[in-house]
Amino acid sequence: MILDFWDKISYMVQIIMACLIIMIPARKKDYFILRVVACTVVLLCVSYLLNCIRIDEITGAILVAYWSIFPVICILLVWCCLDVSFLEAVYYTICACAMQHIAYDLYLITQMIFGDIYIISLVIYILTYSFYYFFCAKRLPGEGGFVISRELFFPMATIVLIVYILSTIEAFVISTDNAISIQRVFYRIVDFLCCFYVLWMQIIHNEKMRLQMELSGIDYALRQKKDQYEVTTETIDIINRKCHDLKHQIHVLRNVTDQQEKEAFFSEIEDAIMIYDTALQTGNKALDTVLMEKGLFCKNHNIQWTCMADGTKLNFINFADIYAMFGNALDNAITEVMNLEDPEKRVLSLRILIRNKLLVIEIQNYYDKKLHFEEGLPVTTKKNKWYHGFGMKSIQHTAEKYNGTISVRTEDAIFTLQIIVPLPE
Amino acid sequence: MKIAVVDDDPNELNTLKEYFKHLHMEIRDEMDVHCYASGKEFICTYDYSFDLICLDINMPEMNGISTAQYIRSRDEEVIIIFVTNMAQMAIKGYEVRALDFLVKPVNYYSFAMKMRSVINIINNKKSKSFIITTSNGIQKISTNELYFAEINGHYLYYHTSGGTFKQKSTLKELEGKLKGLSFKRCNNCYLVNLKYVESINKDDVKVGGEWLKISRPKKKEFLQSLGNYMGGAKL
């Protein structure tokens, strides 16, 4: 009786266990335990009922469909218990199913070689599942969430699906007699390796993504240093030139007696000194530096820029992050307006809005080229697509580091980038 | 939308007036522009009815900053934008919570860009009143007083500055009713008035003195809506 009951739910239990293990490090919903218990009870009942259906007569596609009900309802379990999107739930479940399949393959192989001994199968499951926890579950998504790349999700899903279909056909259609043959053992080994490599790929991909992020960061920092050097040199040049002009003008002024001419000289001098009008005191040193630099550039390239920025609340963001975030955002905007055909449209607006405990950094400019978006971020205009894209990604990355996000909007030929960061309590 | 332009230079007044006319052709929002030749003249007739004030900084007698200080001491809400030829002066605008500034000579595109935000900010402040039936009878609720709505079972709880009211309804229905206003969901149970968001941390948002959970899939969108609300984009 008990054995019969166990038979009817054992498959479900295996998948649920695998799901539970992968859920351990993930972000859970409220009342997690309660949800898990409730879902498990429901799923076990469903499994029991499903197993009461006589499946001896059904074959082919219906059989495959019948067996796939189990993992599909597990998606709902994951979705119900974790604070994740549906796609992420599917991803978690696929990983769990792949793992269950590995354990199942190992179990079948030993069964074919040593016969059906309960204790051995139990040990195999425990070993595989704990290996799975340390090798896979722990190293996959954590608290910070997991970015599922579409190009990896599709092959992974299809491979697991094919393995699944073939395995069902193999077990229930081809080898119904449980005969032991070398081909079956081989088949199971191949099956096992497929699932194993799928999981392995996920780990490797994850690691690769992390390293790439780091590398891009380093590369970008290097590039920025170089850029900054050039800008600083240019800035010094501008100041030197202006000083030279000033000296010259003052010298001439000494000998001018005509009042009108004098007036003209004065306004010229005033204009020369105006370059210091771009020097702002926002209350944040890093912000002052980056604004001074970009402001000078704008002034010398006839970009009219306005900057309404109170930097006093920015002190919780570290120097380098402020520099990178504002530098990137302004660089993008400057490149964008330099490409505009109508020079009148070369205006750029930077605002820092603060309301209660919320900080919004907003940069607006006109654009006239068609923009393309990838994952919500624009990726064209600059020749080096990757570089530009990374600029945006880097801003997003920094914003997320401070618990915020960015938003990009295009409306009425105006491009708006917002960096939204909650102020710490 | 009622707008005041204050500048001692008649040419500047004319330019801005023309710009508003031009902008009106583009966006069709009602724009009622009033011109004043000095800060003094303006504050003498100031009657709290304006949505936007464009202030010249450099004016004789009473300059733009002190005019703004005077206005702020009486009106917290009105949007102030400075018009100036000294960008550096504009930083002082922060003290009077000016939204932005325009540099003279005013460039139309710069003007239009900023005004579009201003108009959206004003439109986003719009409120709406509606009637609900509670077990104690009929209750009028204004979105201006509504901190957030919470669904619990079959009941919708309206948390307002005047207390909490309960009605049999769904969040979806309310969401439809408040479309275009400053409301956004932070998870499946709460519809939050962005106007009253006080603070946000990793997983929660503080509204009307209460901490509510933000669900992770909704967090990004919620923050973006807040940005839109503050910066002036169509909600």
Side-chain angles (χ1 to χ4, degrees), chain A residues 12 17 53 66 72-73 89 105 149 155 157 168 170 198 226 243 276 302 329 340 345 351 413 417:
Chain A
M12 198 76 234
M17 284 300 287
I53 302 171
Y66 170 81
V72 168
I73 52 178
D105 282 330
S149 68
T168 314
E170 199 272 345
V198 163
K226 198 173 143 279
C243 284
Y276 281 105
N302 287 322
L340 289 173
K345 282 190 170 181
R351 288 195 293 173
L417 166 72

Side-chain angles (χ1 to χ4, degrees), chain B residues 25 31 57 74 119 142 149 155 168 211 228:
Chain B
M25 311 271 269
M31 273 175 254
I57 290 189
R74 278 154 184 78
I119 290 163
S142 161
Y155 285 98
K168 218 173 185 151
W211 285 101
N228 282 346

Side-chain angles (χ1 to χ4, degrees), chain A residues 86-101:
Chain A
F86 190 71
L87 189 72
E88 284 172 299
V90 174
Y91 176 84
Y92 281 104
T93 316
I94 292 177
C95 286
C97 285
M99 197 57 231
Q100 186 275 334
H101 211 79

Side-chain angles (χ1 to χ4, degrees), chain B residues 5-20:
Chain B
V5 184
V6 188
D7 200 317
D8 58 329
D9 182 352
N11 290 332
E12 288 291 338
L13 284 178
N14 270 334
T15 312
L16 284 182
K17 226 173 156 180
E18 283 305 309
Y19 281 179
F20 274 115

Side-chain angles (χ1 to χ4, degrees), chain A residues 65 131 178 204 209 292 305 357 423:
Chain A
F131 175 73
N178 272 334
I204 290 172
M209 286 283 281
M292 167 86 186
W305 97 320
K357 288 279 173 198
L423 295 173

Side-chain angles (χ1 to χ4, degrees), chain B residues 26 110 127 170 228 234:
Chain B
E26 282 175 24
S110 178
S127 66
T170 63
N228 282 346
K234 288 188 187 99

